[in-house]
């Protein structure tokens, strides 16, 4: 915005002459500035006006006009024509050329210069011709000849009286017979002061222009601190410029007073008008400057408030989210009264902390409401932030209230449990003593104080207040109350019958013959025949076992719900006729391939297994029996599902899991993870069972409970092994024999193998990685290929050995992990290096058992009895979790070769040398940042658990949709399913399930 500018040509010319009037600026070393040209009075602008109010410029008769050059003349007239006001200059000028004492040639010279360059409109030129006789005569003759040569009117006057027709005497100086008092020195001084004031105004205006352009284009910043610093800085500069404007105004007013002083020789009206005009312009400039600053400062203050609100919003939202997460994590309700009181105190302290932050959040919301009333505000944006704070605050308040209510109920429950335990203790003492009917009735009456009127109703009342943590304790207390109530009721009935019978004569009984009373506080089983309620250690075990049972039941329900959601949200939608046109062509009619037998799994778990658990959850032995009885069903259903995973994955890869139809299904279900992650749920579930059974076994006591749980665990491990082996078996390619004719797959695993053949002169001395499959009738050697077109682990067939033709060497010198299998005559020897000694021992025992079974068939019953006598312990060596199997006793068979030296350096390495038929594996790209989409619980030592929102770094891309990652913050590294990680370009599949089963 430009606050000071010359509106006309006259003002622009005047501005160009200002510096020269002060002695600044020249056109050359010999040229004179305007100040020097004004002193000799070549031409004057006295301020006089003609009768038509046009300004007057006088060329006095000082006989010095011939001393001024053409360029100096131009500069002088430029300045003199800029002295009148803009309006007067636009009307035109009257010019008086006084040459009464000069010659007529000088008149012509002046007129020619005026004609040549005069920077304004000339209304008329009045020439006072020379007064000498000769010059006067020449003028009378010459004037008639050149009057018409000029574009302006020229009037030749013989006397000054002729000027009075056009000018008032008050507008003419005394040398022209007028009354206008004129002092050239005072005029120059006023002009100098006026020009200085004008220059000051332009400098101030330039500063204002620069400042306003700067603040208009400035970045207001996104940080309130930056905005506040910018506002303070610009405010300081605004005050400084206001101070300069005030100084300029004061100087202008002083100058106006000076040019209006009555003691001056004369008052030049043009100077007064010029000063007044400059003061008016200065006032307008200041008003515009103030208005602009007012708008800008208002905008900047609003921006500061807005950014401050956003910063406060982010801080409060983060704080409230942190509190909300902490409130969600507060799930413990305590198992004792003291613990409940401690939790109540913690909840009270947490509530006080949250209330302070909630008050602050309320203040932020009030600030947002006030900010929305400002017309400059973006109402929708601010309102959304306020609503988010209100929503989060309401959720936090609701969580706190529910937490307090839960703890209050827990305290009431603990009080009731304590009273019930005291009542039971009193009842036990009463039963052990000699209390009568009145004492029993008093005991039953006291039971009403904590709500015990009937054991069944009391159990239901406790169960309504019980939580997952306290359910086991409530069950125990309810059982104890029922037992004591029953015994007290029996005692009361017997006392009533005794009171109704007639009294017998009292007989003396010897003390030693008196029968000892049965202790009424004898330990009682609550959840099975082997459980006891006495002892702190038993209580802790029982409590923890209750937690595991509760987790089993709860996770089973969640699993059933997840399977149901997959079927209803995906499979049923795919099979609907009205949705067929929305499906990709490769998915039409392929629902059974994509989901396998997921519907059978859902039906089995919902209608059979979950109901069995609900009926048996109170007794650990019955829960274990559920697994034992359903072993075959588990194996059949999960084997088929896992074997279908490669087909499902290949189909999903054609869809890339990003098809709009599947995305719509996922959005409608509200699932955080894609379909690939949910199709992994059955694999995770079948692996989770053995972990839960191990926990139950760890917290169980000796007896029938431990035996049943061990049977259940063995069954699930066998199921897992069979599923795992079947998945590995279907990955074998290029097999020349029928695998179904080779008998049962007994074992499979990865080894380093060195093969030697007497017929092959090229001895293979370097180890090669081979995956060996041990069947009842054959041993297959396959080359593992960790990647193929579908990113799956596959095995390429390389060699096979018939079990009826091989021999076994249990120990090889140099490494305890080595053993040999060879054809008859050792024409072909395969030296196998196991990853651990335990794995080697398990394989050797299993191969020996196969060989012994063959001997049984060949040599008859005597050999069979010999095998049963010496190798009975080899029957149960097929645990699927080979790495964790316990060492088995070995038969007394001497090794074929010399004993191994335990101190020899092992020759086995995890990185075998390359051979001519092994493919080079290309390492995947690493370093990519990942984020977890949902929680994931690791089910093996090689995996890592994930939390929603947790960051990680990709270290390696594995097969079957698994990634090896390093968790942020040094929380470990391991394998994780890609479907749980935000990596859009990687196929998210669940076909790594067989690898996970092998790890467990």
């Amino acid at each position: 915005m430009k606050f000071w500018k010359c509106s006309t040509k006259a003002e622009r010319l005047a501005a160009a002459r200002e510096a020269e009037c002060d002695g600044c600026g020249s056109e050359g070393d010999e040229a004179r500035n305007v100040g020097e040209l004004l002193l000799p009075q070549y031409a004057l602008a006295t301020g006089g006006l003609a009768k038509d109010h046009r300004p007057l410029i006088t060329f006095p008769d000082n006989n010095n006009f011939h001393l001024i050059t053409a360029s100096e003349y131009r500069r002088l007239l430029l300045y003199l024509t800029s002295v009148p006001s803009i309006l007067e200059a636009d009307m035109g000028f009257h010019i008086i050329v006084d040459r009464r004492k000069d010659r007529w040639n000088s008149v012509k010279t002046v007129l020619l210069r005026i004609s040549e360059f005069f920077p304004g409109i000339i209304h008329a030129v009045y020439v006072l011709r020379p007064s000498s006789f000769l010059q006067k005569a020449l003028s009378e003759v010459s004037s008639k000849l050149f009057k018409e040569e000029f574009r302006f009117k020229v009037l030749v006057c013989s006397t000054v009286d002729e000027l009075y027709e056009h000018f008032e005497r008050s507008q003419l100086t005394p040398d022209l017979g007028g009354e206008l008092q004129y002092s050239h020195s005072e005029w120059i001084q006023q002009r100098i002061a006026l020009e200085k004031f004008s220059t000051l105004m332009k400098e101030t205006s330039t500063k204002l222009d620069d400042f306003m352009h700067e603040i208009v284009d400035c970045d207001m910043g996104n940080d309130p601190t930056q905005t506040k610093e910018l506002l303070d800085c610009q405010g300081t500069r605004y005050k400084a410029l206001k101070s300069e404007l005030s100084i300029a105004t004061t100087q202008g007013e002083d100058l106006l007073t000076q040019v209006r002083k009555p003691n001056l020789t004369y008052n030049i009206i043009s100077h007064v008008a010029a000063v007044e005009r400059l003061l008016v312009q200065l006032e307008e400039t200041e008003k515009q400057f103030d208005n602009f600053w007012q708008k800008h400062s208002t905008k900047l203050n609003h921006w500061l408030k807005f950014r401050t609100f956003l910063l406060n919003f982010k801080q409060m939202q983060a704080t409230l989210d942190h509190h909300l997460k902490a409130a969600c994590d507060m799930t413990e309700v305590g198992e004792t009264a003291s613990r409940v009181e401690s939790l109540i105190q913690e909840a009270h302290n947490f509530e006080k902390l949250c209330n302070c932050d909630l008050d602050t959040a309320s203040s932020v919301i009030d600030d947002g409401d006030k900010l929305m009333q400002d017309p400059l505000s973006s109402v929708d944006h601010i309102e959304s932030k306020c609503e988010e704070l209100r929503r989060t605050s309401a959720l936090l308040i609701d969580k706190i209230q529910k937490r307090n209510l839960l703890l209050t109920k827990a305290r009431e429950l603990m009080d009731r449990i304590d009273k019930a335990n005291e009542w039971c203790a009193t009842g036990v003492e009463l039963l052990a003593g000699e209390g009568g009917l009145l004492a029993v009735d008093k005991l039953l009456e006291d039971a009403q104080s904590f709500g015990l009127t009937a054991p069944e109703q009391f159990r239901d009342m406790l169960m309504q207040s019980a939580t997952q943590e306290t359910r086991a304790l409530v069950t125990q207390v309810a059982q104890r109350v029922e037992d004591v109530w029953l015994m007290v009721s029996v005692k009361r009935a017997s006392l009533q019958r005794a009171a109704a019978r007639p009294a017998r004569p009292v007989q003396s009984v010897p003390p030693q013959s008196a029968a000892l009373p049965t202790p009424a506080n004898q330990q009682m089983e609550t959840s099975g025949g082997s459980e006891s309620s006495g002892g702190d250690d038993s209580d802790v075990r029982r409590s923890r076992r209750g937690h595991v049972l509760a987790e089993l039941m709860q996770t089973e329900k969640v699993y059933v719900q997840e399977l149901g959601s997959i079927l209803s949200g995906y499979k049923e939608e795919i099979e609907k006729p009205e949705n067929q046109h929305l499906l990709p062509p490769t998915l039409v009619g392929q629902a059974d391939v994509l989901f396998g037998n997921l519907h059978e799994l859902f039906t089995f778990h919902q209608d059979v297994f979950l109901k069995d658990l609900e009926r048996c959850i109170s007794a650990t032995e019955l829960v274990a029996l559920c697994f034992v009885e359903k072993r075959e069903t588990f194996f059949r259903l999960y084997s088929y599902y896992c074997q279908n995973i490669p087909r499902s994955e290949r189909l999903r890869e054609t869809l890339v899991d990003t098809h709009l139809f599947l995305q719509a299904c996922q959005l409608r279900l509200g699932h955080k993870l894609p379909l690939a992650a949910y199709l992994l749920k059955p694999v995770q579930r079948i692996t989770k069972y053995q972990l839960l059974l191990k926990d139950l076994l760890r917290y169980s006591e000796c007896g029938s409970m431990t035996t049943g749980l061990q049977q259940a665990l063995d069954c699930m491990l066998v199921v897992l092994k069979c599923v795992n082996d079947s998945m590995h078996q279907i990955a074998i390619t290029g097999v020349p024999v029928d695998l179904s004719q080779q008998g049962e797959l007994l074992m499979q695993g990865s080894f380093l193998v060195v093969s030697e053949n007497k017929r092959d002169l090229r001895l293979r001395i370097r180890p090669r990685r081979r995956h060996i499959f041990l069947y009842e009738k054959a041993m297959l050697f396959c080359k593992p290929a960790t990647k193929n077109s579908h990113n799956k682990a596959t095995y390429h067939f390389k060699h096979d050995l018939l079990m009826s033709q091989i021999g076994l060497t249990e120990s090889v010198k140099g490494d305890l992990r080595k053993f040999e299998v060879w054809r008859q005559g050792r024409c072909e020897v395969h030296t196998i290096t196991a990853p651990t000694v335990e794995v080697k021992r398990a394989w050797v025992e299993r191969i020996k058992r196969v060989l012994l079974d063959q001997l049984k068939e060949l040599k008859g019953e005597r050999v069979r009895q010999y095998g049963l006598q010496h190798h009975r312990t080899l029957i149960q060596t097929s645990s699927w979790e080979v790495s964790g199997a316990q060492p088995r006793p070995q038969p007394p068979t001497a090794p074929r070769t010399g004993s191994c030296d335990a101190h020899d350096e092992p020759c086995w390495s995890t990185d075998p040398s390359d051979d001519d038929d092994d493919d080079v594996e290309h390492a995947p790209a690493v370093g990519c940042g990942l984020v977890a989409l949902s929680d994931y619980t690791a089910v093996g030592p090689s995996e890592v658990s994930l939390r929603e929102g947790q960051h990680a770094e990709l270290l390696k891309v594995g097969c079957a949709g698994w990634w090896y990652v390093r968790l942020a913050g040094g929380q470990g590294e391991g394998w994780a399913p890609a479907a749980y990680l935000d990596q859009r370009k990687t196929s998210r599949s669940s076909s790594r399930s067989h690898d996970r089963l092998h790890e467990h």
Side-chain angles (χ1 to χ4, degrees), residues 558-830:
V558 173
Y559 176 55
V560 171
Q561 292 174 358
E562 289 176 339
L563 295 184
S565 67
I566 298 172
L567 293 172
S568 62
Y570 286 97
K571 191 172 187 292
E572 293 179 6
E573 293 295 326
I574 291 175
E575 293 175 342
K576 286 182 179 178
E578 60 269 24
N579 291 339
Q580 296 303 304
H581 67 286
L582 301 175
L583 300 178
T586 56
L587 189 57
V588 176
Q590 298 296 316
D592 291 336
V593 176
L594 183 62
F595 298 96
N597 62 333
L598 191 67
H599 189 275
E600 291 185 69
L601 288 174
F602 171 72
T603 303
F604 165 70
H605 282 275
Q606 182 187 43
D607 299 337
V608 180
F609 190 69
L610 179 59
K611 292 183 178 179
D612 287 349
L613 288 179
E614 290 176 344
R615 288 192 297 266
C616 304
I617 198 65
S618 60
T620 308
E621 293 93 336
L622 296 180
V623 171
L625 188 60
C626 290
F627 286 95
V628 175
E629 291 177 346
K630 303 299 185 296
R631 167 187 170 178
E632 297 300 327
T633 305
F634 274 110
F635 171 71
R636 177 177 56 83
L637 295 178
Y638 281 90
S639 293
Y640 182 88
Y641 184 85
C642 293
Q643 291 175 11
N644 183 70
I645 284 177
R647 298 176 59 208
S648 175
E649 170 118 350
R650 285 193 293 269
L651 177 59
R652 272 203 322 277
E653 286 179 353
T654 62
L655 307 175
V656 200
D657 271 353
T658 57
H659 193 272
L660 295 178
F661 184 84
L662 297 181
Q663 290 181 347
C665 294
Q666 179 183 349
L667 182 63
R668 185 164 52 251
L669 290 171
H671 287 177
K672 297 180 181 178
L673 301 174
L675 177 60
Y678 284 90
L679 292 180
L680 189 63
K681 296 294 183 180
V683 182
Q684 292 178 307
R685 190 58 183 170
I686 194 64
T687 310
K688 183 70 173 177
Y689 286 135
Q690 55 97 8
L691 299 177
L692 293 171
L693 289 172
K694 286 181 180 178
D695 289 339
L696 286 175
L697 190 60
R698 182 165 62 251
Y699 299 136
S700 298
E701 299 167 357
C702 298
S704 60
M705 181 186 298
T706 303
T707 304
L709 287 174
Q710 186 62 54
Q711 291 178 354
L713 177 59
D714 293 339
C715 288
M716 293 312 297
L717 289 177
V718 171
V719 169
L720 286 173
K721 177 186 179 299
C722 294
V723 171
N724 183 48
D725 291 344
S726 64
M727 292 188 65
H728 280 278
Q729 181 176 339
I730 64 173
I732 304 175
T733 61
V735 185
V737 297
D738 187 1
L739 294 180
S740 62
Q741 301 299 320
Q742 305 307 314
E744 181 183 357
L745 176 62
L746 304 177
M747 301 184 78
Q748 52 84 23
S750 182
F751 301 86
L752 288 179
V753 179
V754 177
S755 300
E756 296 179 18
N757 194 323
K758 291 183 178 180
R759 297 180 181 179
D760 189 358
L761 300 179
R762 296 170 300 172
L763 296 179
R764 304 301 300 270
I765 60 176
R766 290 180 299 174
R768 291 174 296 177
R769 175 68 61 184
R770 290 293 181 258
H771 202 91
I772 303 177
F773 295 86
L774 177 62
Y775 291 85
E776 291 179 336
K777 297 182 180 180
M779 179 183 293
L780 270 60
F781 293 78
C782 301
K783 187 183 82 170
T786 57
K787 293 182 180 178
N788 62 8
S789 59
H790 299 286
N791 200 26
K792 299 292 181 298
T794 58
Y795 307 99
H796 300 312
F797 172 82
K798 288 296 180 181
H799 190 63
D800 68 328
L801 295 174
L802 295 179
M803 297 302 293
S804 61
Q805 299 176 0
I806 70 169
L808 171 66
T809 302
E810 295 184 30
S811 300
V812 177
K813 184 177 181 180
D815 197 333
L816 295 177
R817 296 169 296 179
K818 290 183 178 181
F819 64 99
E820 290 179 348
V821 292
W822 36 269
R823 290 185 184 271
Q824 294 177 357
R826 295 185 63 84
C827 60
E828 178 181 333
V829 180
H830 300 275

Side-chain angles (χ1 to χ4, degrees), residues 208-408:
L208 294 180
D209 286 341
D210 295 341
F211 175 66
M212 299 314 291
H213 283 125
E214 179 184 342
I215 66 176
V216 166
D217 299 333
C218 71
D219 182 10
M220 293 187 292
N222 293 326
D223 186 4
T225 303
Q226 296 177 353
T227 306
K228 183 64 169 62
E229 292 176 354
L230 180 65
L231 182 61
D232 293 341
C233 178
Q234 293 181 355
T236 302
R237 294 181 62 186
Y238 165 75
K239 293 178 182 178
L241 291 174
K242 282 285 291 182
S243 177
E244 292 185 16
L245 285 173
S246 178
I247 293 173
T249 302
T250 302
Q251 291 184 1
E253 291 175 349
D254 293 343
L255 180 59
L256 182 62
T257 303
Q258 182 180 356
V259 298
R260 282 179 174 175
K261 283 183 180 179
N263 58 352
L264 291 177
T265 306
Y266 73 101
N267 288 329
I268 300 177
I269 298 176
S270 62
H271 290 179
V272 175
V275 176
E276 290 178 344
R277 184 170 63 252
L278 291 175
L279 286 174
V280 170
Q281 291 179 358
L282 186 62
E283 183 180 358
E284 291 297 325
T285 298
E286 187 172 7
K287 287 182 179 179
Q288 293 181 19
F289 180 60
D290 288 339
N291 290 336
F292 188 89
W293 172 253
Q294 179 65 29
K295 293 179 181 179
H296 178 74
S297 61
T298 300
K299 181 180 178 181
L300 202 57
N301 276 298
H302 172 265
W303 183 254
L304 176 61
K305 294 178 182 178
F306 177 69
R307 297 310 306 182
T308 303
F309 167 76
L310 289 183
L311 179 62
N312 294 335
F313 162 76
K314 291 180 181 178
Q315 293 175 348
M316 291 312 305
Q317 185 68 14
T319 301
L320 295 182
D321 286 342
H322 176 73
H323 290 331
L324 190 60
K325 185 178 183 304
C328 293
D329 292 339
M330 291 181 178
T331 57
E332 183 186 0
V333 294
E335 298 180 0
T336 62
S338 60
R339 181 56 182 164
V340 172
E341 289 296 333
S342 176
L343 292 175
I344 290 176
Q345 185 60 40
E346 291 179 5
H348 178 69
N349 297 335
F350 177 72
E351 183 178 7
K352 289 173 60 178
L353 176 62
C354 291
N355 286 336
C356 295
D357 292 328
L358 287 171
D359 293 340
T360 306
S362 179
S363 300
V364 174
I365 294 174
D366 293 340
D367 294 341
D369 292 337
K370 294 178 182 177
L371 198 58
M372 283 190 290
Q373 298 175 3
D374 194 320
L376 298 175
S377 298
S378 175
V379 176
D380 294 339
H381 186 60
I382 298 175
E383 186 175 10
S384 64
K385 303 296 183 185
C386 294
E387 288 300 323
E388 182 66 17
L389 278 182
R390 291 191 183 98
R391 185 189 66 83
T392 307
S393 299
L395 286 176
L396 180 58
I397 293 173
D398 182 63
K399 286 287 184 182
I400 292 174
Q401 291 176 350
K402 288 182 178 179
R403 176 66 175 169
N404 291 336
L405 180 61
L406 180 64
L407 290 177
T408 300

Side-chain angles (χ1 to χ4, degrees), residues 151-168:
R151 291 174 296 178
F152 46 81
K153 183 170 62 172
V154 178
L155 300 176
V156 180
C157 302
S158 301
T159 62
V160 296
D161 294 337
E162 296 180 16
L163 296 175
Y164 300 155
E165 296 178 6
H166 306 283
F167 302 93
E168 298 289 345

